[in-house]
Amino acid sequence: MKRRVAFAVSLALAACAGTASAAGSWIAEAALPAIGQRGRVYVSPRLAPRPTTPVTGHGIGRVQWRYGYDRVGDPRMVARLCAAGRCVDASNPRGGSKAFAGLPVVTPFHLMLKVPGSGRVAPAMRAGRVQLVVNFE
């Protein structure tokens, strides 16, 4: 009886370990374009897993982002995080979403930024960086 219980427990632990190893995350970072003009859409470089990142899994679960520039920008700046035809509001420089859940683990993303209005942004916003963390199941 004790052997059966021990065997059942070891099977359960092995199943949990297998599930845990299938889940993971990948991180992408990129420089953001300088923003010097209002009313223009600026797009980040492609945010995707590195070729050496193991990305086996069933699909994306949650994404989290963080971005910023060398100075505080216009508080009306609009940002959208997009992938595979889906976009979410990312106007808060730190946030997360489950809106991309179920997409393939290797789906690339990009961040779109726009300062409403017209004319120059003075001084221009430079030295921007974005970090994206994609959790998958």
Side-chain angles (χ1 to χ4, degrees):
M1 180 69 163
K2 286 183 181 180
R3 285 186 179 173
R4 285 185 190 166
V5 170
F7 182 70
V9 169
S10 66
L11 281 179
L13 289 174
C16 289
T19 302
S21 66
S25 64
W26 56 264
I27 299 172
E29 296 180 312
L32 290 173
I35 296 179
Q37 188 70 35
R38 296 176 190 282
R40 179 176 171 205
V41 176
Y42 295 87
V43 181
S44 75
R46 184 175 183 255
L47 300 164
R50 293 183 183 114
T52 57
T53 303
V55 289
T56 56
H58 298 293
I60 292 174
R62 179 175 174 77
V63 299
Q64 295 172 279
W65 63 84
R66 180 173 62 189
Y67 64 89
Y69 278 89
D70 61 341
R71 66 178 189 83
V72 176
D74 189 312
R76 300 174 299 152
M77 184 165 73
V78 176
R80 311 261 311 148
L81 181 66
C82 300
R86 300 180 193 179
C87 293
V88 296
D89 180 36
S91 296
N92 186 335
R94 289 178 181 245
S97 176
K98 291 185 178 182
F100 303 102
L103 288 177
V105 174
V106 295
T107 300
F109 289 80
H110 62 274
L111 184 66
M112 299 186 330
L113 303 156
K114 180 179 178 180
V115 177
S118 60
R120 293 183 55 219
V121 173
M125 297 167 59
R126 301 186 188 283
R129 302 273 319 152
V130 59
Q131 181 185 62
L132 182 70
V133 178
V134 176
N135 296 304
F136 53 87
E137 303 166 352

